Amino acid sequence: MSLKPARRAGYLEALGIDVWVPRSNRGLGASARVQVLAPEPAPALELSDGSSIAAAAQSQPVAATGADDWASLQAEVRTCTRCILHRGRTQAVFGSGDLEARWMVVGEAPGAEEDRQGEPFVGNAGQLLNAMLAAIGLPRPSVFVANMVKCRPPENRDPKPAELASCRPYLERQVRLLQPTLILVVGRIAAQALLATDAPVARLRGQLHRVGGLNTPAIVTYHPAYLLRTPADKRKAWEDLKFARRTFDELAATAST
Ligand code: SF4
């Protein structure tokens, strides 16, 4: 899928950044839509070691584990009480998108509106995320979007380390089921938790990391909510998105040879 130049320019204008022309449109998004998870009411990683993109691509198709499946996982999350965050939720926010997506977006935690709607990244931050994805040729439904923790922290505070640790197995199972070509990690909390580091986003962006048991390639950028508060960094986010697009194309091309 490719965006017409005028439409892409519109998205970029919405982001407040200048126009970029992608060098290739190959491998955009998922080619087949098997199922798009609807939000359900109520209820688990660095190429900074200098490894090559080709090696990352060849490491992707790792065997799935046991008898795990999306329905069982979603049911477990819906009724999960592993951490204290279950007490204040309206519903767990499992994640949504294409279950055959080649791109995965991982954020921090549901906010008030996500808790109410049961879907990640809605509201203004969600709209900006959608525009960011569209700017690199990715309609929101073609990616799978999830958070590090599935239940809303009270007063929108940062998830605590114990809460992140309790919920991480769900994200890891989502990654194992999806086996995305690339994960776009948005924001400090998700990046630090996934990469087990306390480095700021400014030091984590601009490089290819690997995350989880499958060594899934991952790229870090700013959270859309941060970009709404700090529009001056939108240009850096745009550089990250272009880097992610180029990297994805190279990974997909290497995997297909
Ligand atoms: Fe369970 Fe995760 Fe919700 Fe905690 S945040 S109750 S671990 S689903």
Side-chain angles (χ1 to χ4, degrees), residues 96-127:
S96 66
D98 189 336
L99 298 187
E100 287 199 342
R102 299 295 79 216
W103 288 75
M104 183 174 188
V105 175
V106 176
E108 172 184 333
E113 196 57 28
E114 286 82 6
D115 174 73
R116 191 179 69 79
Q117 295 189 29
E119 184 158 359
F121 286 94
V122 295
N124 291 337
Q127 287 178 12

Side-chain angles (χ1 to χ4, degrees), residues 33 59 76 112 120 128 139 141 172 174 178 180 195 201 217 231 235 239 254:
R33 304 274 150 64
S59 74
E76 285 182 49
L128 180 55
E172 296 199 347
Q174 289 177 318
L178 191 65
L195 300 175
V201 170
R235 193 168 296 275
E239 294 302 319
T254 302

Side-chain angles (χ1 to χ4, degrees), residues 58-204:
Q58 286 160 3
S59 74
Q60 275 298 290
V62 180
T65 56
D68 206 3
D69 62 81
W70 285 105
S72 302
L73 179 55
Q74 190 167 15
E76 285 182 49
V77 169
R78 188 171 60 245
T79 57
C80 179
T81 57
R82 280 188 195 171
C83 83
I84 198 170
L85 293 183
H86 80 274
R87 295 183 184 170
R89 72 185 176 210
T90 301
Q91 57 193 313
V93 180
F94 179 76
S96 66
D98 189 336
L99 298 187
E100 287 199 342
R102 299 295 79 216
W103 288 75
M104 183 174 188
V105 175
V106 176
E108 172 184 333
E113 196 57 28
E114 286 82 6
D115 174 73
R116 191 179 69 79
Q117 295 189 29
E119 184 158 359
F121 286 94
V122 295
N124 291 337
Q127 287 178 12
L128 180 55
L129 176 67
N130 295 347
M132 291 165 68
L133 294 173
I136 53 170
L138 297 171
R140 167 73 177 259
S142 74
V143 306
F144 189 81
V145 182
N147 283 310
M148 289 299 302
V149 299
K150 313 305 187 194
C151 303
R152 180 194 177 204
E155 310 302 324
N156 288 339
R157 65 161 170 76
D158 292 346
K160 296 180 178 177
E163 295 157 355
L164 287 161
S166 294
C167 213
R168 180 168 181 141
Y170 294 134
L171 182 75
E172 296 199 347
R173 286 168 64 186
Q174 289 177 318
V175 171
R176 195 170 286 277
L177 284 165
L178 191 65
Q179 297 197 27
T181 300
L182 184 68
I183 299 176
L184 185 65
V185 186
V186 297
R188 177 181 64 85
I189 297 292
Q192 291 181 341
L194 269 178
L195 300 175
T197 178
D198 58 3
V201 170
R203 286 224 330 258
L204 298 172

